Amino acid sequence: MEEEEDTRDFNERCAQCSEVNWGLTDGGRYYCRSCHNVTERTREVVNTDFMTNSRVQTISKGSRKQEKTDGGCEWYVCEGFQLILKKQAEALEALGVCSQMKDEVLYSFWRCYLQKSKQAYCNRPAGETVKALSVRESSTDVDSEPERPSLLHLLSLSESEGDLLTDCSFASSMSKVSESTSIYSGSVDGSLYLMKNQKEKLRMTMPTTLSFCYMALLWLREPITLSELLRFVVEGHIPYLNVFQHFPEKMKLCGLDLKIFCVESWPVYEEVYNKMLELAVFLDLPRFPDITDSCFLHPDMLCIKYLMEANLPDELHNWTCRVVKKIGIGEVDFLTLVPGNKSTRKVKYDILAAAVIVVVLKLLFLLDDHYEWLLSDLAEERNKNNKEGGLYFEFKKWYEVVKHSLDVEQKKLDEERAKYLWRCEKPLFYSVKNKSRVLKRRQMVVNLQNQFGKLSGSVRRAEKPNPSSFQLRWSEENTDGSCFHGHSLKGILQEKCGLLTAMNPDYWLCTVKLCNEKLCGHLAHYREEDFPQSYHFVLRLFSFLLRIQPSYIHDEVCMIEHKLFNKKLYKKLKYNTVLRK
């Protein structure tokens, strides 16, 4: 009876079961008799000894980070992603990227994202969070309306992991979170994060962390392309796969959190790139810094890199520069990203440079499985009779040398991917009830692996090599003639009107008419059996270097060809239209 009198004036509904059936704990806090949910509210204490006709009201707010029974602390999904971004930024800094990328650019992008998605740096949206997290705050609270997590120092160099966790005031501003919210996840909002519709807010995913990194690199015009970034991820130089193993011990990860942070696939170029474009629009970013001819991302600069890696003659760079200048793809306005501008085609710098080289090879060697071999035979005869010392470029010999190295590296890459252990060393469990069973099973697996390893005499894998911008290396010092950088193109060129032109007067187009990229997803369709093997080999070479599908390079080749032969194509299409009429 006395307890009922004490709770009589508290008529709020329970945040968990919506019942009004309150009791008092020994600490003076209200708890629901129906579902046993304990609130942070305490009963009002009337103290008549202190002052007549006065009443002292006490409201307890609770600790900033309440310790759970399993030793963990309350944490939110956005905190998990901020730690991942911090680790990725530090890895890029170790690779040589300037510190400005982490401390200023990426930090600003992440802060803007949290604000735009209403996760931090803004007043809590009325009703949204209260409804989602089943929070009930009294209007008699002496504190002002709190803000959502203030993650101001999340990417600061001086910020420690411990400070990073306790800096977030989300838990304190939410009062008591409903127990049902985190039953199937270690994070407080893991289940809600997957349930609620966040399409308009650009929900964070693991590939999106790489989109953030690439966007910051592009803003600073760092000499790292998207294909290189993804390759460094696959090689383990940038944290991505099983990165949650680096979470602090108090950030317990289980259940639905695994669907958010655990990935079992390699990042895809197109997905990361498109998400970066969406992010730039969502964050309402201005025009990016200009990509000039002195920037590494300019096609003239990237062509030098890819010509070296493809073991092609240095003289080809003059031709790539001529093509770039002829069709205007080296202009600042063409190369610079303007978020939200639908009138301009977004540039994939690495793919564009590779496509320019492919077009130049088609201009000079045709790549029709006939003409390039004829030129190669002529160059071979000239090299036999050559007494000057300089070698003519032989396409056939280049093909054999590069194909051998490409096959070896491709086989090595396929084996590494096949042997990759997707399961992380840190045991994961989808339910707290299964934790002990999972830990025992994991320990048993480790013991068996160690025993079989000793019996079979297997050697542990060597440490990963240092990251490099080049995957295929060719040295002119080799005496076996496997390096073609210094070889001459004179055997396939002729002088005309003071300019060197190709002896080959013909050119075949990959496609006469381009597709609608928005509808088809590609400018042109690519099937290996529809094109010459020489052309396919060149595409395969660059697709290996960029770790993308050959069809993406084929798209850019078609785009360049239509810019290069626009007038001739227009006349041909117009002539065909007249004939049909």
Side-chain angles (χ1 to χ4, degrees):
M1 289 296 294
E2 183 179 350
E3 187 178 17
E4 290 181 2
E5 290 180 4
D6 293 335
T7 60
R8 183 173 54 190
D9 296 333
F10 189 61
N11 297 322
E12 293 186 15
R13 293 186 177 275
C14 175
Q16 184 163 315
C17 67
S18 300
E19 293 288 335
V20 183
N21 186 14
W22 299 104
L24 282 174
T25 65
D26 294 336
R29 295 186 179 185
Y30 293 107
Y31 75 94
C32 179
R33 292 195 184 99
S34 301
C35 66
H36 305 289
N37 177 36
V38 182
T39 71
E40 292 296 314
R41 294 288 306 279
T42 60
R43 71 185 181 91
E44 296 174 352
V45 180
V46 179
N47 192 342
T48 57
D49 297 331
F50 176 70
M51 186 179 293
T52 308
N53 298 327
S54 67
R55 186 171 66 176
V56 177
Q57 177 176 293
T58 304
I59 297 179
S60 175
K61 292 294 293 181
S63 60
R64 288 176 60 86
K65 286 285 180 178
Q66 297 184 4
E67 294 291 328
K68 295 183 178 180
T69 56
D70 59 354
C73 65
E74 287 182 353
W75 63 280
Y76 289 80
V77 171
C78 64
E79 290 183 286
F81 281 117
Q82 75 190 21
L83 279 172
I84 292 171
L85 282 172
K86 186 171 183 286
K87 293 290 183 182
Q88 291 174 344
E90 289 171 350
L92 285 168
E93 199 173 299
L95 292 175
V97 174
C98 66
S99 59
Q100 185 184 2
M101 182 261 186
K102 185 185 83 167
D103 296 333
E104 297 180 23
V105 180
L106 185 58
Y107 159 75
S108 299
F109 289 162
W110 179 240
R111 174 173 177 165
C112 184
Y113 170 80
L114 291 176
Q115 187 175 25
K116 291 275 188 180
S117 60
K118 298 182 180 179
Q119 297 182 65
Y121 304 108
C122 64
N123 291 328
R124 193 173 63 228
E128 177 187 334
T129 309
V130 174
K131 182 178 179 181
L133 298 180
S134 302
V135 175
R136 299 292 183 269
E137 289 190 321
S138 172
S139 60
T140 59
D141 193 343
V142 294
D143 295 334
S144 60
E145 179 70 13
E147 292 186 351
R148 300 190 72 179
S150 175
L151 309 177
L152 186 62
H153 304 291
L154 84 96
L155 296 176
S156 172
L157 278 173
S158 61
E159 194 69 30
S160 65
E161 289 184 348
D163 294 333
L164 182 62
L165 289 172
T166 58
D167 185 61
C168 178
S169 61
F170 201 19
S172 63
S173 69
M174 288 304 150
S175 186
K176 180 65 178 177
V177 180
S178 172
E179 294 289 340
S180 61
T181 304
S182 57
I183 288 178
Y184 300 107
S185 64
S187 61
V188 173
D189 59 339
S191 56
L192 290 169
Y193 190 84
L194 293 174
M195 284 192 300
K196 58 185 178 181
N197 183 13
Q198 287 197 351
K199 289 183 179 179
E200 71 281 359
K201 296 180 182 178
L202 262 182
R203 185 201 301 270
M204 276 296 295
T205 60
M206 285 302 298
T208 309
T209 61
L210 299 178
S211 300
F212 265 104
C213 291
Y214 178 60
M215 189 164 60
L217 292 171
L218 183 57
W219 184 272
L220 291 171
R221 297 174 292 185
E222 286 286 336
I224 296 181
T225 61
L226 179 54
S227 58
E228 278 184 314
L229 176 68
L230 300 186
R231 179 166 60 85
F232 290 152
V233 168
V234 174
E235 292 176 354
H237 302 297
I238 298 175
Y240 180 76
L241 301 173
N242 300 325
V243 67
F244 49 80
Q245 292 184 109
H246 302 293
F247 282 9
E249 188 62 31
K250 289 187 177 182
M251 289 181 66
K252 302 296 181 180
L253 192 84
C254 66
L256 295 177
D257 297 328
L258 304 185
K259 291 186 177 181
I260 301 173
F261 297 104
C262 185
V263 291
E264 293 189 354
S265 61
W266 306 104
V268 180
Y269 186 104
E270 201 71 11
E271 180 184 1
V272 175
Y273 181 80
N274 290 336
K275 190 64 69 175
M276 184 274 294
L277 297 179
E278 291 181 36
L279 276 172
V281 175
F282 178 73
L283 301 181
D284 196 23
L285 296 180
R287 176 187 170 108
F288 276 53
D290 291 344
I291 304 296
T292 62
D293 54 5
S294 61
C295 293
F296 177 81
L297 297 176
H298 194 278
D300 288 347
M301 301 288 283
L302 282 175
C303 281
I304 296 176
K305 175 184 183 302
Y306 295 137
L307 285 172
M308 292 177 63
E309 198 164 8
N311 198 16
L312 287 165
D314 300 331
E315 293 181 14
L316 283 175
H317 185 245
N318 295 327
W319 286 83
T320 59
C321 291
R322 289 171 64 177
V323 171
V324 169
K325 185 177 181 180
K326 175 76 174 178
I327 62 180
I329 59 174
E331 300 297 326
V332 172
D333 290 338
F334 177 83
L335 294 172
T336 305
L337 176 63
V338 183
N341 188 352
K342 298 181 180 179
S343 62
T344 57
R345 188 169 185 265
K346 304 302 181 288
V347 181
K348 302 166 185 172
Y349 304 97
D350 39 11
I351 300 179
L352 179 67
V356 169
I357 297 175
V358 175
V359 170
V360 167
L361 290 176
K362 286 182 66 180
L363 285 169
L364 298 180
F365 298 96
L366 201 58
L367 301 184
D368 65 345
D369 288 344
H370 174 70
Y371 187 74
E372 64 270 22
W373 306 122
L374 177 62
L375 290 178
S376 183
D377 291 339
L378 293 174
E380 185 180 4
E381 289 296 324
R382 289 176 179 175
N383 284 330
K384 289 180 180 179
N385 302 324
N386 184 18
K387 297 180 181 180
E388 297 178 1
L391 294 174
Y392 292 97
F393 178 69
E394 298 179 35
F395 187 90
K396 183 179 180 181
K397 188 176 180 181
W398 170 83
Y399 172 84
E400 292 172 349
V401 170
V402 174
K403 186 177 184 301
H404 174 72
S405 296
L406 180 61
D407 290 342
V408 171
E409 293 299 322
Q410 185 67 59
K411 184 179 179 181
K412 189 187 301 181
L413 177 63
D414 293 340
E415 289 178 352
E416 288 178 357
R417 289 191 172 186
K419 292 178 181 178
Y420 187 83
L421 296 176
W422 292 102
R423 289 188 177 184
C424 63
E425 297 177 1
K426 186 177 181 179
L428 303 174
F429 48 93
Y430 287 87
S431 174
V432 178
K433 296 179 180 179
N434 299 331
K435 181 177 179 180
S436 59
R437 186 172 61 183
V438 171
L439 292 175
K440 289 180 181 178
R441 185 180 297 175
R442 179 61 180 170
Q443 187 60 44
M444 183 174 64
V445 170
V446 171
N447 292 337
L448 288 173
Q449 286 177 340
N450 292 335
Q451 292 176 13
F452 281 114
K454 292 178 180 178
L455 291 173
S456 61
S458 60
V459 182
R460 292 186 177 182
R461 282 193 290 178
E463 294 183 1
K464 55 187 177 185
N466 293 328
S468 173
S469 294
F470 292 91
Q471 300 174 74
L472 302 177
R473 296 176 180 83
W474 316 94
S475 175
E476 296 184 21
E477 297 177 357
N478 292 345
T479 57
D480 57 358
S482 60
C483 181
F484 296 86
H485 292 159
H487 288 211
S488 174
L489 297 176
K490 290 182 180 179
I492 60 172
L493 300 177
Q494 60 182 357
E495 189 172 347
K496 189 176 182 180
C497 300
L499 290 174
L500 287 176
T501 61
M503 293 176 59
N504 166 38
D506 301 320
Y507 190 92
W508 59 272
L509 292 171
C510 292
T511 182
V512 177
K513 188 176 181 180
L514 297 177
C515 297
N516 189 329
E517 192 173 16
K518 293 182 180 179
L519 297 177
C520 302
H522 291 278
L523 289 174
H525 295 282
Y526 177 76
R527 292 193 307 172
E528 180 181 350
E529 57 269 21
D530 294 338
F531 294 91
Q533 286 301 306
S534 296
Y535 176 74
H536 173 70
F537 171 76
V538 173
L539 288 190
R540 180 185 161 220
L541 171 61
F542 286 106
S543 69
F544 171 81
L545 297 178
L546 303 184
R547 304 292 176 91
I548 58 174
Q549 294 296 322
S551 57
Y552 292 119
I553 304 176
H554 179 72
D555 276 0
E556 294 296 321
V557 169
C558 294
M559 183 273 293
I560 293 172
E561 288 178 344
H562 276 251
K563 284 180 175 289
L564 195 59
F565 301 104
N566 183 43
K567 292 182 180 179
K568 294 182 180 179
L569 278 172
Y570 177 76
K571 291 180 180 179
K572 185 175 181 180
L573 291 172
K574 187 176 181 180
Y575 176 74
N576 290 338
T577 304
V578 172
L579 289 180
R580 289 174 186 171
K581 291 182 178 179

